[in-house]
């Protein structure tokens, strides 16, 4: 072996190349099989000295079992080898990296993506639990993605937790307790249900970009887990900040988004005290959002009026362009409909129809005063349409909120 500490170990049948990552007990390298196909694999080199809680033989038996396991959402263990210092696990290579990196580069995942990932994770866990195997170290770093383009989730780094005392200092310092069920952190009796706790934490992180009990110390983590406070979403924190900065329109839209999360939470919470706490929040957010809506509407009206002379001028300059004239007529109809204030979804549809046409015309419009006016008009119309869309959603969230409030009153929880 080369003298430098970081040089990859040597294996007869493989060429080891760059390190893909390292966890607590091992370093994983990308590698090629020397023979035939030059198959790409990932080789995990586990230092035997880290096997502090059970014999190497036990681990080898376990690996033998894992070798027989085949599931589309579990990283395939192709083979294993060992020498005096290391055990080498030869695995399928996952080109998409791990879920932790995947979430971090996207900040947070759309619900649609998180849903598919959760289904795939559930499939893998069901398969393992049917065979009496628990993972016990579920976290985004241990979940890999088959490829960056069409990522399929692959559960990795499992079956070893039993041998690797999950609570030793080294492990703990790497941040795992954030995903560990409390009974595990407290070294009490735990079983395969501990995996479900981790699944919840991972799902939350996928949706919000950070784990629900993100903490810097054990004391803080324990305090957060034990606390009765509903988990505050970043959305509310951000809404309050925008509100304080006087950005009513951003605050309004953030409160509306936050309500989309809190309203279902109110519906599903079974603990009476927590339900009461969420209900108080929902009411507070709805009433602040309603106040903001008034502010936003009046400032939008001002904007609209300011836009008028330019709009008239644009209409004047469009006289020799029948398509442009017609599209501007549709836009005027949308504005009239909106000001009438009876049917927002009709107005929205008219906005969208006119915008579709105007955008096409803008693409063909030569540079000049008319293009400038058209460009500005399109921006105003888009802002109006966006705002209407928000209002429609807000009303839906509100009526859901009121229904949920009414329902919890009916089901016997008294208000106040
Ligand atoms: P440890 O037991 O040390 O935590 P892991 O098996 O979790 O080791 O691997 C550490 C990191 O290496 C993972 O978080 C991942 O980024 C990378 N990695 C592991 N296995 C593969 C693989 N099969 N394909 C691609 N990257 C991998
Ligand atoms: Mg790991």
């Amino acid at each position: 072996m080369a003298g430098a500490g970081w040089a990859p170990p040597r294996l007869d049948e493989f060429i080891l190349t760059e390190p893909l990552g390292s966890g607590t007990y091992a370093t994983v390298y990308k590698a090629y099989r020397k023979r035939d196909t030059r198959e790409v694999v990932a080789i995990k080199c586990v230092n035997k000295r880290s096997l502090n809680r059970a014999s190497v033989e036990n681990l080898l038996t376990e690996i033998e079992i894992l070798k027989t396991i085949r599931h589309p959402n579990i990283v395939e263990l192709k083979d294993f080898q060992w020498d005096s210092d290391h055990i080498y696990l030869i695995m399928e290579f996952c080109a998409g990296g791990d879920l932790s990196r995947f979430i971090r580069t996207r900040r947070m995942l759309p619900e649609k993506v998180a849903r598919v990932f959760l289904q795939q994770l559930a499939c893998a866990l069901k398969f393992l639990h049917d065979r009496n195997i628990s993972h016990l170290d579920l976290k985004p770093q241990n979940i890999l993605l088959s490829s960056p383009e069409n990522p399929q989730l692959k559960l990795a780094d499992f079956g070893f937790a039993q041998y690797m005392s999950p609570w030793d200092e080294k492990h703990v310092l790497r941040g795992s307790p954030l995903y560990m069920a409390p009974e595990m952190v407290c070294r009490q009796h735990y079983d395969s249900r501990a995996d479900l706790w981790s699944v919840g934490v991972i799902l939350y992180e996928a949706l919000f970009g950070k784990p629900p009990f993100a903490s810097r110390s054990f004391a803080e983590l324990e305090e957060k887990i034990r606390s009765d406070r509903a988990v505050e979403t970043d959305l509310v924190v951000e809404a309050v900040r925008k509100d304080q900065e006087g950005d009513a329109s951003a605050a309004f839209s953030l409160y509306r988004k936050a309500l989309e999360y809190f309203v279902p939470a109110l519906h599903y919470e079974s603990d009476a005290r927590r339900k009461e706490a969420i209900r108080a929040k929902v009411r507070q957010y709805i009433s602040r959002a309603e106040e903001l809506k008034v502010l936003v509407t009046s400032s939008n009206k001002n904007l609209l009026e300011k836009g008028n002379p330019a709009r008239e001028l644009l209409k004047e300059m469009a006289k020799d362009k029948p398509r442009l004239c017609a599209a501007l007529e549709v836009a005027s109809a949308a504005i009239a409909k909106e000001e009438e204030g009876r049917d927002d979804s009709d107005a929205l549809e008219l906005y969208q129809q006119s915008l579709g046409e105007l955008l096409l015309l803008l693409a063909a419009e030569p540079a000049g005063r008319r293009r400038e006016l058209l460009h500005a008009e399109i921006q105003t119309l888009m802002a109006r349409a966006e705002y209407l869309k928000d209002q429609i959603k807000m009303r839906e969230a509100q009526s859901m909120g009121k229904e949920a409030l009414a329902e919890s009153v009916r089901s016997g929880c008294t208000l106040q």
Side-chain angles (χ1 to χ4, degrees), residues 263-286:
V263 168
L266 177 60
H267 183 80
Y268 290 112
E269 181 58 63
S270 54
D271 178 279
R273 270 176 55 211
R274 283 172 193 253
K275 205 178 181 93
E276 183 53 47
I278 301 176
R279 187 182 299 123
K281 275 184 196 287
V282 167
R283 280 172 157 179
Q284 182 198 331
Y285 301 156
I286 288 181

mmCIF file of all heavy atoms in Angstrom, residues 263-286:
data_model
loop_
_atom_site.group_PDB
_atom_site.id
_atom_site.type_symbol
_atom_site.label_atom_id
_atom_site.label_comp_id
_atom_site.label_asym_id
_atom_site.label_seq_id
_atom_site.Cartn_x
_atom_site.Cartn_y
_atom_site.Cartn_z
ATOM 1 N N VAL A 263 -53.347 23.713 8.650
ATOM 2 C CA VAL A 263 -54.732 23.267 8.647
ATOM 3 C C VAL A 263 -54.831 21.734 8.686
ATOM 4 O O VAL A 263 -55.540 21.186 9.524
ATOM 5 C CB VAL A 263 -55.508 23.909 7.478
ATOM 6 C CG1 VAL A 263 -56.835 23.244 7.277
ATOM 7 C CG2 VAL A 263 -55.684 25.398 7.753
ATOM 8 N N PRO A 264 -54.097 21.008 7.822
ATOM 9 C CA PRO A 264 -54.125 19.549 7.974
ATOM 10 C C PRO A 264 -53.578 19.102 9.333
ATOM 11 O O PRO A 264 -54.077 18.133 9.912
ATOM 12 C CB PRO A 264 -53.223 19.046 6.844
ATOM 13 C CG PRO A 264 -53.105 20.171 5.891
ATOM 14 C CD PRO A 264 -53.324 21.439 6.645
ATOM 15 N N ALA A 265 -52.568 19.806 9.852
ATOM 16 C CA ALA A 265 -52.010 19.419 11.158
ATOM 17 C C ALA A 265 -53.088 19.494 12.237
ATOM 18 O O ALA A 265 -53.190 18.631 13.100
ATOM 19 C CB ALA A 265 -50.837 20.326 11.524
ATOM 20 N N LEU A 266 -53.916 20.541 12.145
ATOM 21 C CA LEU A 266 -55.007 20.701 13.103
ATOM 22 C C LEU A 266 -55.986 19.533 12.988
ATOM 23 O O LEU A 266 -56.458 18.986 13.978
ATOM 24 C CB LEU A 266 -55.738 22.021 12.809
ATOM 25 C CG LEU A 266 -56.959 22.341 13.668
ATOM 26 C CD1 LEU A 266 -56.566 22.436 15.131
ATOM 27 C CD2 LEU A 266 -57.607 23.645 13.217
ATOM 28 N N HIS A 267 -56.220 19.151 11.771
ATOM 29 C CA HIS A 267 -57.166 18.072 11.519
ATOM 30 C C HIS A 267 -56.685 16.748 12.110
ATOM 31 O O HIS A 267 -57.441 16.004 12.691
ATOM 32 C CB HIS A 267 -57.364 17.950 10.008
ATOM 33 C CG HIS A 267 -58.369 16.918 9.625
ATOM 34 N ND1 HIS A 267 -59.726 17.172 9.688
ATOM 35 C CD2 HIS A 267 -58.226 15.648 9.205
ATOM 36 C CE1 HIS A 267 -60.359 16.086 9.310
ATOM 37 N NE2 HIS A 267 -59.483 15.152 9.008
ATOM 38 N N TYR A 268 -55.377 16.475 11.973
ATOM 39 C CA TYR A 268 -54.885 15.143 12.350
ATOM 40 C C TYR A 268 -54.387 15.044 13.788
ATOM 41 O O TYR A 268 -54.171 13.949 14.286
ATOM 42 C CB TYR A 268 -53.779 14.701 11.379
ATOM 43 C CG TYR A 268 -54.318 14.401 10.009
ATOM 44 C CD1 TYR A 268 -54.020 15.183 8.912
ATOM 45 C CD2 TYR A 268 -55.180 13.313 9.820
ATOM 46 C CE1 TYR A 268 -54.548 14.912 7.660
ATOM 47 C CE2 TYR A 268 -55.707 13.031 8.588
ATOM 48 C CZ TYR A 268 -55.386 13.837 7.506
ATOM 49 O OH TYR A 268 -55.912 13.554 6.276
ATOM 50 N N GLU A 269 -54.163 16.174 14.461
ATOM 51 C CA GLU A 269 -53.621 16.106 15.817
ATOM 52 C C GLU A 269 -54.628 15.434 16.753
ATOM 53 O O GLU A 269 -55.791 15.813 16.798
ATOM 54 C CB GLU A 269 -53.274 17.518 16.304
ATOM 55 C CG GLU A 269 -52.686 17.571 17.690
ATOM 56 C CD GLU A 269 -51.417 16.732 17.835
ATOM 57 O OE1 GLU A 269 -50.422 17.036 17.166
ATOM 58 O OE2 GLU A 269 -51.435 15.752 18.614
ATOM 59 N N SER A 270 -54.178 14.414 17.498
ATOM 60 C CA SER A 270 -55.125 13.717 18.366
ATOM 61 C C SER A 270 -54.984 14.161 19.822
ATOM 62 O O SER A 270 -55.903 14.003 20.618
ATOM 63 C CB SER A 270 -54.921 12.204 18.249
ATOM 64 O OG SER A 270 -53.569 11.919 18.506
ATOM 65 N N ASP A 271 -53.838 14.727 20.164
ATOM 66 C CA ASP A 271 -53.637 15.187 21.537
ATOM 67 C C ASP A 271 -54.363 16.525 21.750
ATOM 68 O O ASP A 271 -54.126 17.490 21.026
ATOM 69 C CB ASP A 271 -52.127 15.339 21.777
ATOM 70 C CG ASP A 271 -51.826 15.853 23.176
ATOM 71 O OD1 ASP A 271 -51.927 17.085 23.397
ATOM 72 O OD2 ASP A 271 -51.501 15.021 24.035
ATOM 73 N N ALA A 272 -55.265 16.558 22.747
ATOM 74 C CA ALA A 272 -56.135 17.727 22.925
ATOM 75 C C ALA A 272 -55.364 19.023 23.159
ATOM 76 O O ALA A 272 -55.690 20.058 22.595
ATOM 77 C CB ALA A 272 -57.109 17.478 24.071
ATOM 78 N N ARG A 273 -54.289 18.916 23.981
ATOM 79 C CA ARG A 273 -53.552 20.156 24.288
ATOM 80 C C ARG A 273 -52.827 20.700 23.069
ATOM 81 O O ARG A 273 -52.821 21.886 22.797
ATOM 82 C CB ARG A 273 -52.558 19.894 25.415
ATOM 83 C CG ARG A 273 -53.198 20.148 26.780
ATOM 84 C CD ARG A 273 -52.247 19.807 27.906
ATOM 85 N NE ARG A 273 -50.977 20.501 27.801
ATOM 86 C CZ ARG A 273 -49.825 19.989 28.236
ATOM 87 N NH1 ARG A 273 -49.797 18.780 28.751
ATOM 88 N NH2 ARG A 273 -48.715 20.677 28.151
ATOM 89 N N ARG A 274 -52.226 19.774 22.325
ATOM 90 C CA ARG A 274 -51.532 20.218 21.118
ATOM 91 C C ARG A 274 -52.519 20.776 20.103
ATOM 92 O O ARG A 274 -52.258 21.762 19.428
ATOM 93 C CB ARG A 274 -50.789 19.050 20.466
ATOM 94 C CG ARG A 274 -49.526 18.705 21.185
ATOM 95 C CD ARG A 274 -48.959 17.434 20.599
ATOM 96 N NE ARG A 274 -47.920 16.910 21.448
ATOM 97 C CZ ARG A 274 -46.618 16.968 21.149
ATOM 98 N NH1 ARG A 274 -46.240 17.505 20.031
ATOM 99 N NH2 ARG A 274 -45.738 16.470 21.979
ATOM 100 N N LYS A 275 -53.684 20.117 20.012
ATOM 101 C CA LYS A 275 -54.693 20.558 19.056
ATOM 102 C C LYS A 275 -55.103 21.988 19.383
ATOM 103 O O LYS A 275 -55.228 22.832 18.497
ATOM 104 C CB LYS A 275 -55.912 19.624 19.124
ATOM 105 C CG LYS A 275 -56.728 19.583 17.841
ATOM 106 C CD LYS A 275 -57.882 18.592 17.986
ATOM 107 C CE LYS A 275 -58.688 18.515 16.718
ATOM 108 N NZ LYS A 275 -58.276 17.468 15.794
ATOM 109 N N GLU A 276 -55.275 22.238 20.669
ATOM 110 C CA GLU A 276 -55.659 23.585 21.111
ATOM 111 C C GLU A 276 -54.591 24.606 20.716
ATOM 112 O O GLU A 276 -54.897 25.696 20.219
ATOM 113 C CB GLU A 276 -55.874 23.573 22.634
ATOM 114 C CG GLU A 276 -56.350 24.878 23.216
ATOM 115 C CD GLU A 276 -57.588 25.415 22.510
ATOM 116 O OE1 GLU A 276 -58.548 24.643 22.276
ATOM 117 O OE2 GLU A 276 -57.582 26.614 22.173
ATOM 118 N N ALA A 277 -53.324 24.213 20.887
ATOM 119 C CA ALA A 277 -52.220 25.125 20.554
ATOM 120 C C ALA A 277 -52.215 25.418 19.047
ATOM 121 O O ALA A 277 -52.040 26.570 18.632
ATOM 122 C CB ALA A 277 -50.895 24.506 20.976
ATOM 123 N N ILE A 278 -52.425 24.385 18.248
ATOM 124 C CA ILE A 278 -52.422 24.596 16.791
ATOM 125 C C ILE A 278 -53.617 25.455 16.389
ATOM 126 O O ILE A 278 -53.506 26.349 15.557
ATOM 127 C CB ILE A 278 -52.474 23.249 16.024
ATOM 128 C CG1 ILE A 278 -51.280 22.380 16.409
ATOM 129 C CG2 ILE A 278 -52.460 23.485 14.519
ATOM 130 C CD1 ILE A 278 -51.288 20.997 15.771
ATOM 131 N N ARG A 279 -54.759 25.195 17.041
ATOM 132 C CA ARG A 279 -55.961 25.951 16.695
ATOM 133 C C ARG A 279 -55.735 27.448 16.933
ATOM 134 O O ARG A 279 -56.107 28.288 16.116
ATOM 135 C CB ARG A 279 -57.152 25.457 17.528
ATOM 136 C CG ARG A 279 -58.469 26.091 17.095
ATOM 137 C CD ARG A 279 -59.631 25.643 17.963
ATOM 138 N NE ARG A 279 -59.844 24.204 17.896
ATOM 139 C CZ ARG A 279 -59.830 23.407 18.943
ATOM 140 N NH1 ARG A 279 -59.602 23.892 20.156
ATOM 141 N NH2 ARG A 279 -60.045 22.119 18.799
ATOM 142 N N ALA A 280 -55.083 27.755 18.071
ATOM 143 C CA ALA A 280 -54.808 29.158 18.382
ATOM 144 C C ALA A 280 -53.926 29.776 17.298
ATOM 145 O O ALA A 280 -54.161 30.899 16.845
ATOM 146 C CB ALA A 280 -54.126 29.253 19.737
ATOM 147 N N LYS A 281 -52.934 29.025 16.861
ATOM 148 C CA LYS A 281 -52.050 29.531 15.815
ATOM 149 C C LYS A 281 -52.804 29.765 14.514
ATOM 150 O O LYS A 281 -52.651 30.811 13.887
ATOM 151 C CB LYS A 281 -50.928 28.530 15.538
ATOM 152 C CG LYS A 281 -49.768 28.680 16.481
ATOM 153 C CD LYS A 281 -48.669 27.732 16.071
ATOM 154 C CE LYS A 281 -47.672 27.548 17.170
ATOM 155 N NZ LYS A 281 -46.788 28.666 17.401
ATOM 156 N N VAL A 282 -53.604 28.768 14.113
ATOM 157 C CA VAL A 282 -54.335 28.875 12.847
ATOM 158 C C VAL A 282 -55.203 30.134 12.858
ATOM 159 O O VAL A 282 -55.219 30.897 11.893
ATOM 160 C CB VAL A 282 -55.179 27.610 12.583
ATOM 161 C CG1 VAL A 282 -56.174 27.836 11.456
ATOM 162 C CG2 VAL A 282 -54.279 26.438 12.237
ATOM 163 N N ARG A 283 -55.873 30.370 13.997
ATOM 164 C CA ARG A 283 -56.732 31.554 14.081
ATOM 165 C C ARG A 283 -55.913 32.826 13.944
ATOM 166 O O ARG A 283 -56.288 33.758 13.251
ATOM 167 C CB ARG A 283 -57.406 31.608 15.433
ATOM 168 C CG ARG A 283 -58.583 30.718 15.552
ATOM 169 C CD ARG A 283 -58.891 30.825 16.954
ATOM 170 N NE ARG A 283 -60.246 30.501 17.306
ATOM 171 C CZ ARG A 283 -60.638 30.548 18.563
ATOM 172 N NH1 ARG A 283 -59.803 30.955 19.505
ATOM 173 N NH2 ARG A 283 -61.861 30.229 18.858
ATOM 174 N N GLN A 284 -54.777 32.829 14.658
ATOM 175 C CA GLN A 284 -53.926 34.011 14.631
ATOM 176 C C GLN A 284 -53.423 34.269 13.203
ATOM 177 O O GLN A 284 -53.462 35.408 12.722
ATOM 178 C CB GLN A 284 -52.763 33.733 15.588
ATOM 179 C CG GLN A 284 -51.774 34.848 15.758
ATOM 180 C CD GLN A 284 -50.477 34.286 16.351
ATOM 181 O OE1 GLN A 284 -50.490 33.287 17.090
ATOM 182 N NE2 GLN A 284 -49.369 34.901 16.007
ATOM 183 N N TYR A 285 -53.014 33.230 12.506
ATOM 184 C CA TYR A 285 -52.492 33.398 11.140
ATOM 185 C C TYR A 285 -53.602 33.833 10.189
ATOM 186 O O TYR A 285 -53.393 34.679 9.326
ATOM 187 C CB TYR A 285 -51.860 32.108 10.624
ATOM 188 C CG TYR A 285 -50.708 31.597 11.455
ATOM 189 C CD1 TYR A 285 -50.350 30.252 11.448
ATOM 190 C CD2 TYR A 285 -49.973 32.474 12.266
ATOM 191 C CE1 TYR A 285 -49.301 29.787 12.219
ATOM 192 C CE2 TYR A 285 -48.926 32.010 13.042
ATOM 193 C CZ TYR A 285 -48.607 30.674 13.018
ATOM 194 O OH TYR A 285 -47.575 30.208 13.791
ATOM 195 N N ILE A 286 -54.797 33.232 10.357
ATOM 196 C CA ILE A 286 -55.896 33.609 9.463
ATOM 197 C C ILE A 286 -56.227 35.081 9.652
ATOM 198 O O ILE A 286 -56.396 35.818 8.687
ATOM 199 C CB ILE A 286 -57.155 32.738 9.706
ATOM 200 C CG1 ILE A 286 -56.938 31.316 9.177
ATOM 201 C CG2 ILE A 286 -58.390 33.346 9.022
ATOM 202 C CD1 ILE A 286 -58.124 30.385 9.341
#
